[in-house]
Amino acid sequence: MGIKELARHLNISIGTVSRALNGHPEVNAETRKRVLEAAAALGYAPDQAGRSLRQGTLNVVALLLSTDLTSKTDTMFFMELSRGIQDQFAEHGLDLVIHLNKPGMDMLDRVKRIVERRQADAIILAETRDNDPRLDYLAGRNFPFATMGRSWSGGSHPWMDLDFDFAMRAAIDRLAGFGHRRVALVTGDPGYRLDTMLQDAYRRELMDRGIAVDEALMIKADTHEEGGYKAMTDFLAMSEPPTAVIFPHYRAVVGAYACLSESGLQPGRDVAILSCSADTTIAQFMAPPLTCFRLDLYGLGRRLAQALLASMSRFAESYGGALVQEIWPWELIGRDSDGFRVG
Amino acid sequence: MGIKELARHLNISIGTVSRALNGHPEVNAETRKRVLEAAAALGYAPDQAGRSLRQGTLNVVALLLSTDLTSKTDTMFFMELSRGIQDQFAEHGLDLVIHLNKPGMDMLDRVKRIVERRQADAIILAETRDNDPRLDYLAGRNFPFATMGRSWSGGSHPWMDLDFDFAMRAAIDRLAGFGHRRVALVTGDPGYRLDTMLQDAYRRELMDRGIAVDEALMIKADTHEEGGYKAMTDFLAMSEPPTAVIFPHYRAVVGAYACLSESGLQPGRDVAILSCSADTTIAQFMAPPLTCFRLDLYGLGRRLAQALLASMSRFAESYGGALVQEIWPWELIGRDSDGFRVG
DNA sequence: GTCTATTCCGTAAACGTTTACGACGATAGC
DNA sequence: GCTATCGTCGTAAACGTTTACGGAATAGAC
């Protein structure tokens, strides 16, 4: 069921059929109507391969995720983000395809493959690193891309990021308000932009309040349950344990809760726990409910897609064409996991 | 950088270049070596659009997921599954692309679009329903597909499924062994194959043990935290509450734990809790650790991909070509959420 | 009636591959 | 020396679409 068959069925040339379907102005209204009706009746849809071969565009945007990170943190985060991205693209007939990168494989190779085989018109990258060769490669090839998270690499490109400064200030404001002076921070892999930004903000906020930064209170841990458990264990073993701990992710908090429980301690009474993760329904059902941040991930995804579209020549006019880089706010949701006055 | 340019650079015809790259036998070993080296040096990779137009194949398999289900249950499940699927396909140069279907949109339309626009060579569907028009459509068009979960629709097609009978028997064996007679079952949306199979098995196992089935003990609830909270609330309000509750998903258990905690009750002491969900690290860090099932989701994904490949003419010979339908085992991981003697 | 402008449509080239077909030279068999 | 076989390679068609170009028909202006 190609365009040829459709044209023959209508006694029209394929050129006219194509023009009718693509909304070109130089076709009779009556003819267009006939074509559209016949196409719907016969279930014709243009072949993507033929179309992209001709016009050099695929109508596909790739989102590259690594399964090792998603399996260690929150798949929900990326699901919501992807949903927003996809909805935005759908308005232009673009499809989002998610490429899952397995742990061993080099992400740069994956990106190269997508570009060289022309598997997508543009790429969205997450989990940006401070120094990210993927971005440099894409920028060098002049391939449209956007990132979730800033990076020092890749020149000036569209991105969305979160306001880590604000989050850390809100978190430490709150904890300091409860009287905490020994506030610990658990971080993930060094090199990820997210972690360096959190650490920087953490240091700054403490110093602004005249609290000395104790490097021993910043420990690196995996962002899942076991990581949180281990981190909490280490804290409790200290001669002078922190009275409050900031975790990057709620799954790590689950581990920390378990650790405290085993030691007969209670979060929110003996140790204050606060998480920088996006608020998820699980957070409010934890015991005690977890203080964390509300994020509009869906909206963030949509906006990220818009930022990318604005940088693509084909869509630039619809979006003003300016470079879009935005820092998104968090909203602190105070619950019971961190609310006590330290004496 | 097309094949033409590469051929010109080598002073060879494009036909020979193509044959050399695709491993055809009728090309001189020396020539092949030159071509391969030049391709690597110049970073040439065949254009997917041109290739698929010519040979009518895309080297892409679509996995269709709905965001409303994944957001209500476990994204981890699908991540692990996808990872296995993708690894298997990668061995044949196939790419897996995940299509996220938003809540409102009809999944059938989505499937039709993929087929009509030839966006994939095959489709993998999850969340099959007892009566699933998507499968009938695909079977009618003779489009290769496989499903995660059996269905009455779509004729005989490759699928993978879980051994619900075994799981329910193991669960009720264990609970009955602790002396429980009033065992409740929380189920999800009716119509999903998963839920009907669990309910059937539940009824059968109870009857086999001479325990009367109390329909009031089978309640439908959303599979996330709030659903579990609400279900548990309803159970506690009964004149004769169940002493054990089987939840389909661990996230529902989180809600149930919270509900029990508010009533001063303790899971594993006052009410036995058991979950049919796949074991996730979070389960062993809950308080008390949750009894659930171990599943090899990655292996399941790989096998599902193999089943699909075996049904595709292009790859049938590598896989024997037989129809593959498998029921996968679960392994009960007993923990503390359900271990007490009633009576 | 001629000329021009407009509207609509058909023709054919082009996109980057793969592959059937045929051609060429070399080798071997007789 | 003729034919047959083999190994290697070039040529060109084909995949399904879009679009530049040109042509036919119509209408309007003089």
Side-chain angles (χ1 to χ4, degrees):
Chain A
M1 181 73 268
I3 199 174
K4 269 188 294 202
E5 198 169 343
L6 181 59
R8 189 154 40 80
H9 182 264
L10 283 166
N11 267 346
I12 306 184
S13 78
I14 59 170
T16 306
V17 173
S18 173
R19 278 185 291 258
L21 290 172
N22 293 15
H24 288 221
E26 66 271 59
V27 49
N28 189 300
E30 168 66 20
T31 313
R32 160 167 296 124
K33 189 158 155 290
R34 280 181 58 218
V35 172
L36 256 36
E37 282 170 358
L42 279 73
Y44 167 80
D47 180 287
Q48 276 298 327
R51 163 176 285 179
S52 36
L53 180 56
R54 166 64 215 226
Q55 53 189 20
T57 187
L58 284 167
N59 289 338
V60 163
V61 179
L63 170 63
L64 189 53
L65 296 179
S66 75
T67 51
D68 57 343
L69 190 71
T70 53
S71 75
K72 277 188 193 164
T73 63
D74 193 359
T75 56
M76 202 71 72
F77 183 97
F78 293 106
M79 278 286 178
E80 275 297 289
L81 197 70
S82 307
R83 204 164 63 82
I85 295 172
Q86 177 162 286
D87 282 0
Q88 183 66 34
F89 284 149
E91 293 183 2
H92 298 276
L94 297 182
D95 277 327
L96 174 73
V97 303
I98 303 176
H99 291 247
L100 256 34
N101 202 65
K102 56 180 169 180
M105 195 174 169
D106 186 13
M107 286 265 246
L108 178 57
D109 288 340
R110 193 73 191 258
V111 168
K112 280 185 179 171
R113 202 162 137 244
I114 294 174
V115 172
E116 285 170 356
R117 300 179 67 169
R118 295 174 204 79
Q119 294 186 122
D121 299 330
I123 294 186
I124 297 183
L125 295 172
E127 315 150 41
T128 51
R129 305 188 70 104
D130 285 344
N131 213 309
D132 206 318
R134 302 174 303 170
L135 309 193
D136 291 324
Y137 171 80
L138 289 170
R141 307 265 317 210
N142 220 20
F143 196 88
F145 72 100
T147 64
M148 180 65 219
R150 281 159 280 185
S151 168
W152 293 332
S153 304
S156 66
H157 60 273
W159 49 252
M160 293 290 120
D161 209 342
L162 301 171
D163 192 343
F164 297 106
D165 290 348
F166 171 83
M168 199 50 83
R169 190 172 335 120
I172 294 190
D173 261 346
R174 181 171 160 94
L175 293 173
F178 287 128
H180 294 281
R181 305 276 299 174
R182 284 190 67 72
V183 178
L185 176 68
V186 177
T187 67
D189 271 337
Y192 281 112
R193 198 85 183 94
L194 183 154
D195 291 294
T196 53
M197 297 200 74
L198 278 178
Q199 290 173 34
D200 290 350
Y202 167 82
R203 283 204 183 83
R204 191 169 342 110
E205 292 302 325
L206 286 186
M207 278 163 47
D208 283 357
R209 287 172 182 74
I211 303 176
V213 176
D214 182 352
E215 294 291 333
L217 291 183
M218 298 173 62
I219 67 179
K220 168 186 167 314
D222 284 340
T223 53
H224 52 212
E225 292 84 359
E226 294 178 30
Y229 183 92
K230 190 168 171 316
M232 201 66 227
T233 308
D234 291 348
F235 284 135
L236 293 182
M238 291 172 68
S239 58
E240 193 184 358
T243 62
V245 183
I246 301 174
F247 284 90
H249 197 60
Y250 81 89
R251 282 185 58 193
V253 173
V254 172
Y257 273 28
C259 171
L260 288 172
S261 167
E262 287 176 12
S263 306
L265 298 173
Q266 193 177 312
R269 193 194 61 188
D270 304 309
V271 178
I273 304 284
L274 187 150
S275 170
C276 289
S277 65
D279 188 41
T280 162
T281 37
I282 210 172
Q284 60 181 295
F285 283 97
M286 290 172 73
L290 179 65
T291 294
C292 55
F293 288 87
R294 171 143 34 215
L295 282 175
D296 177 15
L297 294 172
Y298 176 84
L300 189 55
R302 275 198 97 107
R303 195 75 186 114
L304 180 57
Q306 287 172 15
L308 178 55
L309 288 167
S311 78
M312 297 170 69
S313 52
R314 208 157 32 119
F315 303 103
E317 56 175 341
S318 317
Y319 290 93
L323 179 63
V324 181
Q325 300 174 329
E326 284 178 4
I327 297 179
W328 278 57
W330 312 46
E331 183 191 349
L332 183 65
I333 310 289
R335 295 209 180 87
D336 303 336
S337 65
D338 64 341
F340 67 100
R341 275 220 77 81
V342 67
Chain B
M1 179 75 267
I3 199 175
K4 269 188 295 202
E5 199 168 343
L6 181 58
R8 190 152 42 79
H9 183 264
L10 284 165
N11 268 346
I12 306 185
S13 78
I14 60 169
T16 305
V17 173
S18 174
R19 278 185 291 258
L21 290 172
N22 293 16
H24 288 221
E26 66 271 56
V27 48
N28 188 300
E30 167 67 19
T31 313
R32 160 166 297 126
K33 187 157 157 288
R34 280 181 57 218
V35 172
L36 256 35
E37 282 171 357
L42 279 73
Y44 166 79
D47 180 288
Q48 276 299 329
R51 160 176 287 179
S52 41
L53 180 56
R54 165 63 215 227
Q55 54 189 21
T57 187
L58 284 166
N59 289 338
V60 163
V61 179
L63 169 63
L64 189 53
L65 295 178
S66 76
T67 51
D68 57 344
L69 190 72
T70 53
S71 74
K72 277 187 193 163
T73 63
D74 193 0
T75 54
M76 202 71 71
F77 183 97
F78 294 106
M79 277 286 176
E80 276 297 288
L81 196 71
S82 308
R83 204 164 63 83
I85 295 171
Q86 177 161 286
D87 282 0
Q88 184 65 35
F89 283 149
E91 294 182 1
H92 299 275
L94 297 181
D95 275 327
L96 174 73
V97 304
I98 302 176
H99 290 247
L100 256 34
N101 201 65
K102 54 180 171 180
M105 194 172 170
D106 185 14
M107 285 264 247
L108 178 57
D109 288 341
R110 193 73 192 258
V111 168
K112 281 184 178 170
R113 205 164 134 242
I114 294 174
V115 172
E116 285 169 355
R117 300 179 66 170
R118 295 176 203 77
Q119 294 186 120
D121 299 330
I123 294 186
I124 295 183
L125 295 172
E127 314 152 40
T128 51
R129 306 188 70 104
D130 285 344
N131 212 310
D132 206 318
R134 301 174 303 171
L135 308 193
D136 292 324
Y137 171 79
L138 289 171
R141 308 262 320 206
N142 220 20
F143 197 89
F145 72 102
T147 64
M148 181 62 220
R150 281 160 280 184
S151 168
W152 294 330
S153 304
S156 66
H157 60 273
W159 48 252
M160 293 289 119
D161 209 344
L162 301 171
D163 192 344
F164 296 107
D165 291 348
F166 171 83
M168 198 51 83
R169 187 169 341 118
I172 294 189
D173 261 348
R174 180 172 161 95
L175 293 173
F178 287 129
H180 293 282
R181 305 276 301 174
R182 286 189 66 73
V183 178
L185 176 68
V186 177
T187 67
D189 272 336
Y192 281 112
R193 197 85 183 94
L194 183 153
D195 292 294
T196 53
M197 298 201 73
L198 278 178
Q199 290 173 33
D200 291 349
Y202 168 80
R203 283 205 183 82
R204 188 166 349 108
E205 292 302 325
L206 285 186
M207 278 161 49
D208 283 357
R209 288 173 180 72
I211 303 177
V213 176
D214 183 352
E215 295 290 335
L217 291 183
M218 298 174 60
I219 67 180
K220 170 186 167 314
D222 283 341
T223 53
H224 51 215
E225 292 83 1
E226 294 178 28
Y229 183 91
K230 191 169 170 314
M232 201 66 227
T233 307
D234 291 348
F235 283 135
L236 293 181
M238 291 172 67
S239 58
E240 195 183 356
T243 61
V245 182
I246 301 174
F247 284 90
H249 197 55
Y250 80 87
R251 281 185 58 193
V253 174
V254 172
Y257 272 27
C259 170
L260 289 172
S261 167
E262 287 177 10
S263 306
L265 299 173
Q266 193 177 313
R269 194 193 62 189
D270 304 309
V271 178
I273 304 284
L274 186 150
S275 170
C276 289
S277 65
D279 188 42
T280 163
T281 37
I282 209 171
Q284 61 180 295
F285 282 97
M286 290 171 73
L290 178 64
T291 294
C292 56
F293 290 87
R294 174 145 30 216
L295 282 175
D296 177 16
L297 294 172
Y298 176 83
L300 189 55
R302 277 197 95 108
R303 195 76 185 113
L304 180 56
Q306 287 172 15
L308 178 55
L309 288 167
S311 78
M312 297 170 69
S313 51
R314 215 161 24 124
F315 303 102
E317 56 174 342
S318 317
Y319 290 92
L323 180 62
V324 182
Q325 300 173 329
E326 284 178 5
I327 298 179
W328 278 56
W330 311 47
E331 182 191 350
L332 182 65
I333 310 290
R335 296 208 180 88
D336 303 336
S337 65
D338 63 342
F340 67 98
R341 275 220 77 82
V342 67

